[in-house]
């Protein structure tokens, strides 16, 4: 029985380590989704970040924030005012291969053309051209992080108001069912760790009761 308890305790620790590393993937005022203050044209833009992020120490995370006033991607053309700008940065020993950024601009802009101007942390820039889906969202995937400025071409909204349901304008809604709405902490791995720890405690209690009865 002692051998069983020892093995179960070791398994509990081994299982807990990777789950803790996954527990604090994102950090923002409201979890994985943040909303930029309305631009002068009155559009509210929200951005949701999703993806697999790990941290060996368990303290690394992806920070998601609306950009400070006056901050925008370096490659935004002169005379163009972004509808929203977000900063997404890796903090600590966080690692990832790819993240998905889903932007929500409202279904009234379904079918419109949108541009995301990006300035990466290494100083490089790029531009992504997308189409707003029927549900008012669009998404891009990135393997580097920094500043993302969004510009929606309001004049390109189709006259019939019909948006796209496939292609670059994604209709997918990120699954946040496994995250805490306040912290963005992944609940499922933590629940698993709790269950295994409970099993270990129960086994230990049984072993102690048997020892005491001898």
């Amino acid at each position: 029985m002692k051998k069983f308890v020892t093995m179960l305790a070791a398994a509990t620790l081994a299982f807990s380590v990777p789950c803790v590393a996954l527990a604090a993937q994102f950090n923002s005022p409201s979890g994985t989704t943040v909303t930029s203050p309305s631009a002068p044209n009155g559009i509210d833009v929200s951005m949701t970040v999703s993806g697999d992020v790990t941290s060996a120490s368990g303290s690394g995370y992806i920070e998601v924030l609306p950009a400070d006033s006056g901050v925008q991607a370096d490659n935004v053309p002169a005379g163009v005012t972004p509808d929203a700008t977000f900063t997404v940065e890796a903090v600590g020993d966080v690692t990832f291969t790819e993240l998905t950024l889903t932007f929500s601009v409202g279904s009234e802009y379904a079918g419109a053309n949108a541009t995301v101007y990006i300035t990466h942390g290494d100083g490089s820039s790029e531009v992504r051209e997308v189409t707003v889906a029927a549900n008012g969202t669009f998404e891009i995937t990135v393997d580097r992080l920094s500043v993302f400025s969004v510009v929606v071409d309001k004049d390109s909204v189709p006259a019939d108001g019909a948006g796209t349901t496939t292609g670059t304008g994604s209709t997918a809604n990120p699954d946040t069912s496994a995250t805490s709405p306040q912290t963005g902490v992944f609940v499922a791995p933590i629940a698993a760790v709790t269950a295994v720890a409970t099993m270990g405690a129960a086994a230990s209690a049984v072993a102690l009761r048997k020892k005491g009865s001898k």
Side-chain angles (χ1 to χ4, degrees):
M1 186 64 185
K2 288 183 179 180
K3 185 176 180 180
F4 172 75
V5 172
T6 301
M7 292 176 62
L8 184 57
T12 301
L13 290 174
F15 184 75
S16 300
V17 171
C19 290
V20 171
L22 290 172
Q25 294 192 34
F26 303 99
N27 182 44
S28 75
S30 56
T32 59
T33 301
V34 295
T35 301
S36 178
S38 297
N41 57 15
I43 293 182
D44 290 322
V45 182
S46 296
M47 183 183 73
T48 298
V49 181
S50 59
D52 293 326
V53 181
T54 59
S55 170
S57 68
S59 60
Y61 58 90
I62 297 294
E63 185 172 55
V64 187
L65 296 168
D68 294 334
S69 177
V71 174
Q72 63 182 38
D74 294 341
N75 57 342
V76 175
V80 174
T81 301
D83 295 304
T85 296
F86 301 89
T87 59
V88 186
E89 299 179 346
V91 179
D93 63 345
V94 64
T95 59
F96 65 91
T97 301
E98 185 176 81
L99 295 179
T100 297
L101 311 184
T102 302
F103 300 88
S104 177
V105 298
S107 57
E108 63 268 35
Y109 297 106
N113 298 321
T115 304
V116 183
Y117 296 94
I118 308 170
T119 299
H120 296 294
D122 60 9
S124 61
S125 298
E126 63 175 302
V127 176
R128 303 284 185 91
E129 301 285 350
V130 296
T131 302
V132 180
N135 65 351
T137 70
F138 59 88
E139 66 180 37
I140 63 173
T141 56
V142 296
D143 58 6
R144 290 171 292 168
L145 301 174
S146 194
V147 181
F148 301 85
S149 292
V150 177
V151 177
V152 178
D153 182 359
K154 293 80 178 172
D155 296 330
S156 66
V157 177
D160 59 3
T164 60
T165 57
T166 59
T168 55
S170 171
T171 60
N173 289 318
D175 179 11
T176 57
S177 61
T179 64
S180 162
Q182 296 299 318
T183 64
V185 172
F186 275 65
V187 176
I190 296 175
V193 172
T194 301
V196 175
T198 301
M199 290 172 59
S204 297
V206 170
L208 289 174
R209 283 200 300 271
K210 287 189 174 183
K211 183 177 180 180
S213 64
K214 291 182 180 179

